Amino acid sequence: DCRQYTNKSCEECLKNVTCLWCASSRRCVEYPIRRVLPPADLCELRSARWGVCWVNFEALIIAMSVVGGTILIMLGVCCCCCCCKKKSKKQVLEGPDKDEERAAREREKRRVRQEERRAEMKSRHDEIRRKYGTV
C-alpha cells in the first residue's frame, strides 16, 4: 500500500512503481491508472512525481511535447527531401519536361532563321561583287 510511505521520502515512495509522490503535501498515493495524468484534486502536476523524484509531470509534459514536435518536424523535412529527390530522379529518367522541350524548339527555330539570313546575305554580297566585278 502506497499510503504507508506518506510523510517519508520521495525515493522510498517511488520504489513501488504503482505509487505517486505529491511533493507539496508529502503524500504517497496510488497512481490513478485509469487516467493518463493525475487529477488536480489528488495532486497538482508541478508537485506530482512518478518514476523518478527529479522530474515533475509538468516538466515531463513540456519535454515530451518538445521532443514529439521535433520528431514530427524532422519527419516532415525528411518526407519533403525524399519527395524532391524522387521527383528529380523521375525527371532525369523521363527526360526533359515541356518547358525545356519548348525552349529547345525555339532555339532551333532561331538557329534556322539565322542560317537563312546568313545565306541570303552571302548571296547579296556575291551579287554585288559580280555587279562591280570584284569577284
Side-chain angles (χ1 to χ4, degrees):
D1 187 30
C2 293
R3 281 180 266 149
Q4 68 184 351
Y5 299 109
T6 297
N7 290 326
K8 293 191 178 181
S9 71
C10 175
E11 288 80 14
E12 287 181 49
C13 174
L14 296 184
K15 284 180 183 175
N16 185 348
V17 292
T18 62
C19 295
L20 172 77
W21 176 256
C22 188
S24 59
S25 63
R26 298 189 51 81
R27 289 186 313 155
C28 188
V29 293
E30 291 283 327
Y31 188 87
I33 56 174
R34 295 195 189 280
R35 303 180 86 178
V36 175
L37 299 174
D41 60 337
L42 183 65
C43 189
E44 294 177 338
L45 286 180
R46 68 175 161 259
S47 297
R49 309 284 195 269
W50 180 72
V52 289
C53 292
W54 53 273
V55 177
N56 65 35
F57 267 90
E58 201 171 55
L60 184 65
I61 290 169
I62 292 169
M64 294 300 283
S65 299
V66 169
V67 169
T70 304
I71 289 171
L72 287 175
I73 290 171
M74 288 183 350
L75 284 173
V77 168
C78 287
C79 288
C80 288
C81 288
C82 289
C83 289
C84 289
K85 284 183 181 180
K86 283 184 180 180
K87 186 177 180 182
S88 65
K89 284 182 182 179
K90 186 177 179 182
Q91 284 180 346
V92 168
L93 293 175
E94 289 179 354
D97 63 354
K98 292 179 183 179
D99 291 336
E100 290 177 13
E101 289 175 6
R102 185 169 29 89
R105 282 194 302 269
E106 288 177 10
R107 279 194 303 271
E108 183 62 26
K109 284 179 185 177
R110 273 189 250 126
R111 189 187 62 77
V112 168
R113 272 186 273 149
Q114 190 172 8
E115 291 289 325
E116 289 172 355
R117 274 191 244 128
R118 275 190 191 142
E120 187 179 319
M121 289 298 287
K122 187 178 184 312
S123 69
R124 270 197 217 147
H125 288 146
D126 289 345
E127 207 175 293
I128 291 170
R129 283 187 193 110
R130 263 187 259 120
K131 181 177 178 181
Y132 292 105
T134 57
V135 181

